[in-house]
Amino acid sequence: MIAKPLDDSLRAIVGDTHVITDADVRATYEVDWTRRFSGTSACVVRPANTTEVAEVLLRCSDAGVPVVTQGGNTGMVGGGVPRDREVLLSTVRLDNLHEVDAASAQVSAGAGVTLSHLQNHVRLAGFDFGVDLAARESATVGGMVATNAGGIRVLRHGSMRAQVIGLEAVFADGSVVRRMSGLIKDNAGYDLPSLLVGSEGTLAVITAARLRLVPPLGVRAAALVGVDDAQAAVSLLSKVRDLGTLAAAEVFFAEGLDLVRAHTQLPNPLPAAYPTYVLLEVAARPDPCDEFVKRLSECSEVRDAVVANDVAGQQSLWRYREAHTEAISAEGIPLKLDVSVPIAALAELVAALPTAICAVTPDARLVLFGHLNEGNIHVNVLNAEDCAELVTEAVLRLVSRLNGSISAEHGVGRAKVGWLSLTRSPEEIAAMRAIKCALDPKCLLNPGVLFDDS
Ligand SMILES: Cc1cc2nc3c(=O)[nH]c(=O)nc-3n(C[C@H](O)[C@H](O)[C@H](O)COP(=O)(O)OP(=O)(O)OC[C@H]3O[C@@H](n4cnc5c(N)ncnc54)[C@H](O)[C@@H]3O)c2cc1C
């Protein structure tokens, strides 16, 4: 699959056991989490440090062989799996995690460190990490930087971009850029780390990150609230936002809850069923629970609510929301479209989606959930395998009409390349292509991701 001279060079760099050519072993790297995207790699290479990454990229560049970078392989848009005999560079061995720098509230982490490993590490030192998401056991620092991951704490701490103070990365020609000093103020020219955040592996391989840490959230309380519709959810959010202690606001709907309950055997969270559910969490010192409950009791949108102020109770409420992705995947291979609209247009989007999708395929089964505060809805469509392109077109055009984004937090990947122009102007796309050509002139890094191959 791979020319002998390149194979020999890669083995000399990373060692025989870390150049995987066996088809069965490669297969686990060649299909993505959603099972919608797959391909064949020439081989899987697992470098152990930045020097090895640089040498691997230099050899591949010399041989003109494209490289796809993969972290935890939990991405949703097919950006981390090969298409056609690329070298797959896995970052799993870049798992160096440095001691927490308490004075600056920062930590340096290798690209292959998983989110849960990072969280456990920094919590032992009395800190927390500002981004959290349900794929925490597998998603890596490098993948989260490369996708500018969002998740459930954006409301409080911002997305991954807001956590990145510096990066170390390797360009396609093997040159290494490093900004890991942790300086908060450092205005000397273009901010390359910012450019690489959200670049989806198309500009460089990220090898390490210098990350901002946040104080632990303190005492928490969570409430699962039944409301009438998406408009009531938005209205409720506007009434609790000024508590100042809000740490999360998630939304899901009756269809999703039914699916989660069938998949997990969880009991009904509330005595009656509601069309829409909002999961709110507050966190602060001192205990914010009493003020939270009082505020909820004053909100006319709340039809019923269950509140948990102990950890076990909170975890079981979160399970209703976090089990959505796995419950949907247990039903089949869904078409997944992660979109955002201005919060004022959220209810219109939720109301219009069923009609837009049914017009393409009446048998489709739609499950929506998402991050309420950012107007971010994960659109999951089951039974749409045969008309995925048409459904994508219908949903993304609707989102564009509502001034939204075709990608809220998962990225463009391979999945949405054809629709980038719905969200970015020709001038912006031209500028992005110019940056790509400058940093990766042979177009060897993640070809077909973000832009089409031309
Ligand atoms: C159950 C579940 C829940 C999820 N919830 C959320 C959520 O709430 N919010 C959210 O934003 N995402 C969510 N995701 C999506 C996913 O977890 C994120 O996109 C995550 O950031 C991907 O990290 P990864 O290490 O798995 O990256 P991968 O899937 O391996 O790669 C993703 C992209 O990043 C590139 N990449 C990976 N590592 C590097 C690197 N070191 N250098 C350069 N490029 C790299 C890849 O080439 C690819 O384009 C969820 C996924 C699952 C399965």
Side-chain angles (χ1 to χ4, degrees), residues 33 68-81 91 94 111-112 132-135 138-152 199-202 204-207 321-322 325-326 371 376 378 409-410 413 446 449:
W33 195 92
V68 171
T69 307
Q70 187 179 96
N73 198 13
T74 65
M76 295 281 174
V77 287
V81 286
T91 61
L94 304 176
D132 194 13
L133 42 85
S138 306
T140 62
V141 166
M144 290 169 59
V145 173
T147 57
N148 186 23
I152 58 180
S199 62
E200 300 189 51
T202 61
V205 176
I206 293 152
T207 48
R321 162 60 180 86
E322 293 206 322
T325 306
E326 63 193 69
H371 309 292
N376 177 189
H378 298 312
E409 58 176 11
H410 291 163
N446 278 14
V449 170

Side-chain angles (χ1 to χ4, degrees), residues 33-318:
W33 195 92
T34 69
R35 294 169 287 159
R36 284 194 68 225
F37 300 94
S38 60
T40 311
S41 64
C43 64
V44 175
V45 182
R46 302 190 304 196
N49 54 47
T50 305
T51 307
E52 290 186 8
V53 172
E55 289 178 17
V56 166
L57 289 186
L58 176 62
R59 295 294 168 204
C60 290
S61 174
D62 287 347
V65 172
V67 176
V68 171
T69 307
Q70 187 179 96
N73 198 13
T74 65
M76 295 281 174
V77 287
V81 286
R83 280 186 317 181
D84 188 16
R85 284 165 292 163
E86 298 93 342
V87 164
L88 191 147
L89 190 156
S90 164
T91 61
V92 283
R93 293 175 71 218
L94 304 176
D95 58 356
N96 216 359
L97 194 44
H98 290 248
E99 211 174 298
V100 168
D101 177 352
S104 64
Q106 296 175 8
V107 71
S108 296
V113 170
T114 62
L115 174 57
S116 66
H117 189 186
L118 177 71
Q119 288 171 329
N120 293 337
H121 180 70
V122 304
R123 282 172 189 163
L124 285 175
F127 291 90
D128 209 338
F129 187 58
V131 170
D132 194 13
L133 42 85
R136 58 186 73 82
E137 297 301 327
S138 306
T140 62
V141 166
M144 290 169 59
V145 173
T147 57
N148 186 23
I152 58 180
R153 301 267 172 243
V154 174
L155 184 157
R156 186 79 164 236
H157 299 301
S159 60
M160 201 62 191
R161 187 184 302 284
Q163 325 306 322
V164 172
I165 293 178
L167 288 180
E168 180 189 75
V170 186
F171 290 127
D173 64 0
S175 53
V176 179
V177 283
R178 187 175 289 117
R179 194 162 333 147
M180 295 287 283
S181 59
L183 290 177
I184 304 286
K185 290 194 159 186
D186 187 7
N187 289 350
Y190 302 138
D191 190 24
L192 292 180
S194 281
L195 179 64
L196 297 183
V197 175
S199 62
E200 300 189 51
T202 61
L203 298 181
V205 176
I206 293 152
T207 48
R210 182 77 178 175
L211 299 167
R212 172 175 87 104
L213 301 178
V214 297
L217 283 174
V219 183
R220 298 187 197 195
L224 184 58
V225 182
V227 298
D228 282 335
D229 53 25
Q231 189 54 51
V234 171
S235 170
L236 172 63
L237 175 64
S238 71
K239 291 185 183 170
V240 292
R241 206 190 259 119
D242 74 330
L243 283 170
T245 53
L246 202 60
E250 303 286 301
V251 65
F252 54 87
F253 300 89
E255 305 77 22
L257 178 64
D258 289 348
L259 211 57
V260 166
R261 290 196 50 234
H263 181 68
T264 59
Q265 318 303 324
L266 283 170
N268 235 328
L270 296 169
Y274 295 93
T276 303
Y277 296 87
V278 180
L279 180 58
L280 297 170
E281 190 175 83
V282 288
R285 294 167 211 276
D287 189 340
C289 190
D290 290 347
E291 191 192 14
F292 182 42
V293 171
K294 181 169 176 294
R295 177 65 61 88
L296 288 179
S297 70
E298 293 162 359
C299 292
S300 56
E301 294 83 359
V302 176
R303 300 277 309 279
D304 195 2
V306 53
V307 178
N309 58 3
D310 63 303
V311 173
Q314 288 155 21
Q315 282 171 348
S316 67
L317 292 188
W318 271 103

Side-chain angles (χ1 to χ4, degrees), residues 9 57 140 254 273 286 339 381 442:
S9 309
L57 289 186
T140 62
V339 299
V381 192
K442 296 182 186 170

